[in-house]
Amino acid sequence: MQKILIADELSYCRQLFSFALRKNGYDVVAAEDGLSAIDANKKEKPDLVILEAKLPKMDGLGVLRVIRSSPDYRQLPVFMLTA
């Protein structure tokens, strides 16, 4: 089963994405801020990241920079979202 990390500060957005993705057979990990997203990425090793641009503690671009700085995650697909 493929794993997707969702990072969004809004609980209802995380829940909406999680519901839709789980319904379609994906394993979902959710993070509410940038630092939690970095930790979840390291621990859970997702196949895809859905990343809100405006996150607390570290914004989405900062999280993306951290992800891309590691050779292990340079090819990890990331979708950036913003309002």
Side-chain angles (χ1 to χ4, degrees), residues 5-81:
L5 169 61
I6 300 168
D8 196 307
E9 69 177 317
L10 300 175
S11 175
Y12 69 87
C13 289
R14 290 191 311 271
Q15 291 173 4
L16 178 66
F17 279 117
S18 295
F19 175 79
L21 292 167
R22 285 186 178 120
K23 187 175 177 182
N24 285 285
Y26 295 96
D27 187 15
V28 178
V29 177
E32 62 189 27
D33 60 63
L35 297 179
S36 297
I38 291 169
D39 288 341
N41 185 61
K42 289 178 185 175
K43 290 177 188 173
E44 300 291 336
K45 301 188 184 337
D47 300 294
L48 171 72
V49 177
I50 299 174
L51 186 60
E52 168 63 41
K54 294 182 180 182
L55 292 171
K57 298 188 182 177
M58 179 184 285
D59 68 10
L61 289 176
V63 174
L64 183 59
R65 283 186 198 101
V66 171
I67 289 172
R68 292 291 183 246
S69 71
S70 171
D72 294 335
Y73 302 115
R74 286 197 181 129
Q75 300 300 316
L76 177 64
V78 177
F79 287 118
M80 293 289 296
L81 303 175

